[in-house]
Amino acid sequence: MRWNAALLVLLAACPGPTDSVEDSTASHGAAPATPDIAEFERLKALGYIDETLEPVDPERTRVVHWDRERAQDGYRLYCNRDGAVAELIEIDGSPVHSWRDTGTLHWMACALMANGDLVVVGAVYPEEKGSPPLDEHRHIARLDWDGRPVWHRNITAHHDVFVVDDGSLITLTLGYRDEPSIDSEWPVRDDFLVRISGDGEVLEERSILDAFRSNPDELSIQPVEPKNQWGRRHVDLIHANSVSTVDWKHLEERHEIYARGNVVVTSRNQDLVAIIEWASNELVWAWGQGQLSGPHEGQVLGNGNVLIFDNGIASKRSRVIEVDPLSREIVWEYTAPVPADFFTPGRGGAQRLDNGNTLVTNSNHGQAFEVTPEGEMVWEFLNPHLNEERHRKTFRRMQHLPRGFVEGILAERGAAPTGS
């Protein structure tokens, strides 16, 4: 198993969600204290894990709780980090279709296109177990419905890919630059927004560091200590981990942050969510420093608010929050009934559903669940994919897909919908 040893110590000390829905609110005692600076830096530097720490009951798998009246109907997609398996499931948890790469790969993110092709961001591990993927082994690829490669691009893609309405893609890549004003000794990792055509041609690239520097009144870049990661010592200043676009026509006149085509980026190491104008690569909005700790998955909702998965590295408690970007106030928040029960130091996801519920991914525990606006769990999924030691495999996010979208693909492919 490819685990960071320090992370094993952390997870052993931090309770995770139980497999039992009935027992999920059981008390685990007092909340852990806020870590000191050294511990905080150690938590932020932890690598990703491929499997949960604890063995699981293999009978407690797939959908273990489902309120048929209140859960959002439809399909859901997720991909395992280890083993490069993506699975499309029904709301009842039954598998509908899957994609697999039998090479020595892991998939960091996947997205389903309108014709049923799957886009994946992946990497090849070196032969040495426990070693991270080298930068030159990263890639983005498009697979058809049957898993055959449509195209494969060896670029330094990482963390996320977003399908734009016009069929193009936006992903994140990384590179290194000398920045003596940031660190006089070590190179600084910059993250880039890269737009790719549907047939795999790289069209445009934007530096996120340049965007963050474009508006010092909006954002003050916080220092980050250098570390050894991805095969080299460097300063991982931004560590962007999710990307999406703003595409709400009814919001365009409200404020410049809602201009269609603006890009939403989440930065783990700057503890913020930012909105960047694509054409000028200028920062138009940023929020989170002093409020968030290692966040993921910022996205603009149809009501104009921003939904964020806050990992809560400093407090060892994860949460999902909704922020009014104009007033900069938190207007909704989900934490577990016992807050310490919900904590994933890496990854994590949140998606607002049409019925007002929120789909949450508790990545390091191989769990996804749906909660009402009042915070009541109405659906819970536990990853059925286990390793040989019966540890549950982890996944980056689970995405809800409307029934009409998926069944249109199934009809075109000659596959009958399974129904709910």
Side-chain angles (χ1 to χ4, degrees):
M1 291 176 287
R2 305 182 186 97
W3 287 348
N4 181 304
L7 186 53
L8 298 185
V9 176
L10 167 69
L11 292 181
C14 297
T18 172
D19 279 352
S20 169
V21 174
E22 290 74 20
D23 294 341
S24 62
T25 59
S27 173
H28 291 274
T34 300
D36 60 24
I37 296 300
E39 183 181 2
F40 176 72
E41 291 298 330
R42 185 167 62 252
L43 293 180
K44 293 201 77 168
L46 291 173
Y48 301 117
I49 63 171
D50 293 335
E51 298 93 12
T52 58
L53 176 63
E54 68 282 357
V56 299
D57 178 357
E59 300 301 317
R60 296 283 298 166
T61 189
R62 293 197 177 271
V63 173
V64 297
H65 175 60
W66 179 23
D67 185 329
R68 289 166 172 78
E69 297 298 321
R70 292 188 293 169
Q72 176 72 59
D73 183 44
Y75 295 82
R76 291 174 183 185
L77 175 72
Y78 70 102
C79 61
N80 291 321
R81 172 179 166 83
D82 181 51
V85 176
E87 190 172 56
L88 178 67
I89 64 170
E90 257 282 10
I91 186 65
D92 65 3
S94 58
V96 174
H97 193 71
S98 64
W99 297 258
R100 182 184 298 269
D101 191 315
T102 57
T104 56
L105 303 177
H106 74 256
W107 284 348
M108 291 171 277
C110 64
L112 189 63
M113 303 194 73
N115 70 341
D117 287 0
L118 188 76
V119 180
V120 296
V121 173
V124 180
Y125 273 105
E127 290 300 319
E128 298 81 9
K129 296 295 185 180
S131 298
L134 302 177
D135 294 340
E136 56 266 30
H137 293 164
R138 299 175 184 273
H139 66 263
I140 184 170
R142 179 170 176 170
L143 311 176
D144 69 13
W145 182 255
D146 297 315
R148 295 181 297 249
V150 178
W151 50 258
H152 179 109
R153 298 290 177 265
N154 287 317
I155 61 175
T156 57
H158 65 90
H159 279 89
D160 204 7
V161 59
F162 182 82
V163 181
V164 185
D165 285 347
D166 63 6
S168 65
L169 310 167
I170 298 180
T171 191
L172 299 164
T173 65
L174 60 88
Y176 301 89
R177 50 199 283 184
D178 292 328
E179 291 286 344
S181 63
I182 295 174
D183 193 287
S184 60
E185 185 175 3
W186 302 107
V188 172
R189 168 182 154 177
D190 191 2
D191 289 312
F192 300 87
L193 297 167
V194 177
R195 187 183 294 272
I196 301 174
S197 70
D199 59 8
E201 180 186 357
V202 175
L203 302 175
E204 295 179 280
E205 180 183 86
R206 302 285 187 270
S207 160
I208 297 177
L209 177 55
D210 288 350
F212 281 9
R213 282 173 159 170
S214 70
N215 191 346
D217 292 336
E218 184 69 15
L219 171 61
S220 177
I221 297 176
Q222 60 191 19
V224 173
E225 291 295 317
K227 60 183 178 181
N228 288 308
Q229 194 176 34
W230 296 292
R232 69 178 72 202
R233 186 162 181 83
H234 67 282
V235 178
D236 188 6
L237 189 67
I238 299 170
H239 198 103
N241 55 40
S242 71
V243 59
S244 60
T245 63
V246 180
D247 193 24
W248 302 103
K249 186 175 178 59
H250 65 280
L251 295 176
E252 285 186 288
E253 302 301 320
R254 186 184 297 184
H255 194 276
E256 65 174 344
I257 66 173
Y258 300 120
R260 296 175 80 183
N262 280 356
V263 179
V264 187
V265 175
T266 308
S267 169
R268 171 182 167 89
N269 286 356
Q270 291 299 315
D271 297 319
L272 59 81
V273 176
I275 299 178
I276 298 169
E277 182 186 58
W278 179 267
S280 65
N281 198 37
E282 292 185 358
L283 179 74
V284 295
W285 181 84
W287 182 88
Q289 290 180 343
Q291 299 284 338
L292 305 175
S293 182
H296 286 72
E297 207 78 357
Q299 59 203 271
V300 174
L301 303 175
N303 63 4
N305 293 337
V306 178
L307 190 70
I308 305 167
F309 188 98
D310 181 16
N311 292 75
I313 294 173
S315 63
K316 297 183 183 177
R317 299 174 177 182
S318 297
R319 59 179 180 161
V320 179
I321 61 174
E322 183 179 342
V323 176
D324 181 333
L326 303 184
S327 69
R328 299 176 182 267
E329 295 178 349
I330 297 173
V331 298
W332 179 82
E333 177 173 342
Y334 169 78
T335 56
V338 177
D341 283 353
F342 175 35
F343 175 52
T344 176
R347 298 170 289 179
Q351 179 185 6
R352 181 58 47 79
L353 307 177
D354 289 343
N355 64 357
N357 292 348
T358 303
L359 180 62
V360 181
T361 304
N362 187 6
S363 295
N364 280 20
H365 298 281
Q367 178 201 37
F369 56 91
E370 180 179 337
V371 295
T372 66
E374 295 74 31
E376 184 176 353
M377 186 185 293
V378 294
W379 185 86
E380 183 183 7
F381 173 89
L382 299 172
N383 194 351
H385 299 275
L386 311 178
N387 69 1
E388 293 178 357
E389 291 82 24
R390 290 179 41 245
H391 294 262
R392 200 180 307 281
K393 293 192 175 184
T394 62
F395 54 94
R396 158 76 172 84
R397 72 155 72 92
M398 177 168 282
Q399 181 186 13
H400 177 86
L401 299 168
R403 185 162 293 278
F405 175 81
V406 173
E407 292 184 353
I409 295 172
L410 295 176
E412 189 169 326
R413 300 291 171 179
T418 59
S420 60

